């Protein structure tokens, strides 16, 4: 009997193929932005930087503490997280700065304020961090439509973060 290498239905296989192409384009876009934006900021003379605001969306790679505020009983609020740069745990899934922090420094902007830490619109005048660890690019409904149960993941996908961004601007 011949073993089938792919047991997914045809519709799901074609969706995954489209997603794979999208992931490649997304990675290329991220690399271009990481290379071009800081270079463009530092290539202008001092005081003439054209970037005045920075908003970050995503998952644990850019989360500056939103997940810790949404789920405060997490290990991210304990050592060793944050020991190197902040000298204390502040809710980031790293020991120091995030990539968005280095981009902010290159643009001469302040570190991003986690969305759930800000109280008023003035807290987000120059920057805001809308990322939540464990977030997905696709909404949970898309996964349910594919027959997958991902309720273990937080329901703060990219579309939810984009809605939050509308309230910040």
């Amino acid at each position: 009997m011949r073993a089938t290498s792919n047991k997914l239905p045809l519709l799901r296989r074609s969706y995954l193929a489209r997603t794979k192409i999208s992931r490649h384009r997304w990675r290329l876009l991220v690399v271009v932005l990481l290379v071009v934006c800081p270079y463009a900021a530092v290539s202008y003379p001092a005081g003439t930087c054209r970037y005045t605001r920075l908003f970050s969306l995503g998952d644990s790679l850019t989360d500056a503490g939103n997940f810790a505020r949404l789920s405060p009983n997490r290990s991210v609020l304990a050592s060793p997280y944050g020991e190197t740069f902040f000298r204390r745990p502040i809710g980031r899934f790293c020991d120091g700065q995030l990539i968005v922090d280095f981009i902010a420094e290159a643009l001469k902007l302040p570190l991003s304020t986690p969305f759930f830490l800000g109280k008023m619109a003035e807290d987000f005048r120059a920057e805001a961090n809308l990322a939540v660890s464990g977030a997905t690019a696709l909404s949970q409904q898309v996964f349910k439509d594919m027959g997958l149960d991902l309720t273990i993941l937080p329901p703060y996908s990219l579309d939810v973060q984009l809605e939050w961004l509308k309230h910040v601007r």
Side-chain angles (χ1 to χ4, degrees), residues 100-143:
V100 293
D101 297 331
F102 293 109
I103 293 171
E105 282 181 6
L107 298 173
K108 296 178 178 43
L109 295 172
L111 296 180
S112 296
T113 303
F115 181 70
F116 289 101
L117 183 63
K119 306 279 187 249
M120 301 176 280
E122 290 82 32
D123 294 334
F124 306 112
R125 195 163 275 175
E127 38 60 44
N129 186 299
L130 303 155
V132 179
S133 296
T136 59
L138 301 173
S139 68
Q140 287 189 337
Q141 186 60 46
V142 173
F143 294 112

Side-chain angles (χ1 to χ4, degrees), residues 23 32 111 128:
R23 273 190 238 143
V32 167
L111 296 180

Side-chain angles (χ1 to χ4, degrees), residues 13 25 27 58 65 77 96 107 116-118 147 159-160:
R13 276 190 305 220
R25 287 182 183 165
R27 287 180 186 149
L77 293 172
L107 298 173
F116 289 101
L117 183 63
D159 58 337
V160 173

Side-chain angles (χ1 to χ4, degrees), residues 39-155:
Y39 175 74
V42 296
S43 64
Y44 289 103
T48 62
C49 178
R50 295 182 183 204
Y51 299 102
T52 57
R53 302 175 86 185
L54 176 66
F55 298 100
S56 54
L57 299 98
D59 58 5
S60 61
L61 296 175
T62 53
D63 183 0
N66 287 315
F67 184 75
R69 307 256 175 327
L70 293 168
S71 304
N73 297 327
R74 301 292 178 170
S75 63
V76 73
L77 293 172
S79 291
Y81 295 112
E83 284 183 358
T84 302
F85 186 77
F86 298 100
R87 305 285 187 246
R88 63 185 170 80
I90 62 166
R92 295 170 178 229
F93 280 88
C94 68
D95 188 24
Q97 292 178 288
L98 302 166
I99 290 183
V100 293
D101 297 331
F102 293 109
I103 293 171
E105 282 181 6
L107 298 173
K108 296 178 178 43
L109 295 172
L111 296 180
S112 296
T113 303
F115 181 70
F116 289 101
L117 183 63
K119 306 279 187 249
M120 301 176 280
E122 290 82 32
D123 294 334
F124 306 112
R125 195 163 275 175
E127 38 60 44
N129 186 299
L130 303 155
V132 179
S133 296
T136 59
L138 301 173
S139 68
Q140 287 189 337
Q141 186 60 46
V142 173
F143 294 112
K144 287 178 186 174
D145 293 346
M146 292 174 55
L148 302 171
D149 181 24
L150 296 180
T151 54
I152 192 169
L153 296 175

Side-chain angles (χ1 to χ4, degrees), residues 8-36:
L8 295 172
L10 182 60
L11 178 62
R12 194 174 295 168
R13 276 190 305 220
S14 64
Y15 174 79
L16 293 174
R18 286 192 318 266
T19 307
K20 193 175 211 175
I21 293 170
S22 297
R23 273 190 238 143
H24 175 68
R25 287 182 183 165
W26 176 248
R27 287 180 186 149
L28 179 63
L29 174 65
V30 168
V31 169
V32 167
L33 288 176
L34 288 175
V35 171
V36 171

